[in-house]
Amino acid sequence: MAPRIWTAALVVIGDEILSGRTQDKNIAQLATWLNAQGIRLAEVRVVPDRQEAIVEAVNALRARNDYCFTTGGIGPTHDDITVDAIAVALGVPVVVHPQARAALDTYYASKGGLTDARLRMARVPEGADLIVNRMSGAPGIRWGNIFILAGVPHIAAGMLDALTGTLEGGLPVVSRTIGCWVAESEIADLLGDTERAQEGVSIGSYPFFREGRVGANFVVRATDAALVDRVIAVLAEGLQARGFDAVDGGI
């Protein structure tokens, strides 16, 4: 029987991402962290700071994945509407979490105190649990299979660190890369045939143009390291048989 594959989705929230003003770094960060938990990042959606867009994305993605993460929109300003939108998606009210309030009260005691704006960061959809944030006091939020994280990458990283080992998952994906100075169209049949012959393996082809030449890197992924090694060997032999040298680790 094929092993259970656990999946997650990410909703990146923020007008600043869509405008190009800010470059998102959380996708790669979350994907890497999830893989270590044995969970695959299956899809990502970027949405503006609009309630209806957040509600639609969260409800769609949480329904077809084991986990749904969001980043952004949980700060102290008027346009930080993620908590309100997710509460609407869940059909629950927004409340001030007493532990979040206490954590913020402590954090801001020497920084001017807990203002109304700062108190906004203690608001959660009713029934939520908190995700510890050792960086800035304002916690992340967990409600069922939804995880609401900060948009600032280093703060999101701290929240993920607090979640490490707490989510159910499967085996992490292992990958290896080989490269070759060849147009991928010349060996498309080799790639396809090799992948189809090995259950549980995926082969990604990533072409490039350098030094006036075309080439490609091929990434083999599976949950079994020995299987990955075997497929890499098959590809290398297939390339060699066609007169192309494979470069272990990629070009």
Side-chain angles (χ1 to χ4, degrees):
M1 187 172 67
R4 164 88 149 87
I5 296 176
W6 296 78
T7 66
L10 170 62
V11 182
V12 180
I13 300 167
D15 294 336
E16 71 279 7
I17 303 294
L18 289 167
S19 72
R21 209 163 44 245
T22 300
Q23 290 188 341
D24 180 82
K25 297 180 180 177
N26 285 317
I27 296 174
Q29 174 170 264
L30 178 64
T32 301
W33 180 85
L34 284 169
N35 187 54
Q37 315 307 308
I39 303 165
R40 299 186 191 181
L41 182 59
E43 51 188 321
V44 177
R45 191 179 300 189
V46 184
V47 299
D49 295 304
R50 288 206 321 269
Q51 179 173 293
E52 65 273 18
I54 299 169
V55 169
E56 195 279 328
V58 167
N59 275 338
L61 298 187
R62 74 185 176 105
R64 61 175 177 253
N65 292 280
D66 297 295
Y67 306 107
C68 178
F69 289 78
T70 72
T71 55
I74 60 171
T77 60
H78 70 284
D79 58 345
D80 289 311
I81 64 168
T82 296
V83 168
D84 301 87
I86 291 179
V88 169
L90 297 171
V92 300
V94 173
V95 298
V96 172
H97 196 293
Q99 289 175 259
R101 179 174 189 145
L104 288 165
D105 205 17
T106 299
Y107 182 80
Y108 286 111
S110 61
K111 301 177 179 65
L114 191 56
T115 63
D116 287 343
R118 289 167 173 171
L119 186 59
R120 282 178 55 83
M121 295 185 289
R123 299 163 70 250
V124 303
E126 188 176 52
D129 296 314
L130 302 182
I131 302 170
V132 174
N133 171 14
R134 299 180 182 87
M135 305 297 295
S136 64
I141 302 163
R142 175 176 185 173
W143 199 102
N145 72 336
I146 301 172
F147 299 82
I148 307 169
L149 308 181
V152 178
H154 76 274
I155 298 178
M159 293 177 178
L160 290 174
D161 184 60
L163 286 171
T164 295
T166 66
L167 305 188
E168 190 170 2
L171 295 171
V173 175
V174 179
S175 68
R176 276 187 62 189
T177 303
I178 59 172
C180 187
W181 291 104
V182 61
E184 60 177 355
S185 60
E186 293 186 50
I187 56 159
D189 59 334
L190 172 64
L191 300 175
D193 291 345
T194 303
E195 183 177 275
R196 284 188 291 273
Q198 303 289 339
E199 185 177 355
V201 169
S202 69
I203 302 174
S205 177
Y206 305 96
F208 57 82
F209 182 79
R210 281 183 222 151
E211 304 167 17
R213 305 164 67 193
V214 295
N217 286 312
F218 311 111
V219 181
V220 178
R221 301 180 179 91
T223 56
D224 182 341
L227 177 57
V228 169
D229 290 343
R230 288 200 301 272
V231 173
I232 286 285
V234 169
L235 286 179
E237 290 170 8
L239 289 168
Q240 189 69 45
R242 297 177 186 217
F244 303 111
D245 292 326
V247 178
D248 191 29
I251 298 173

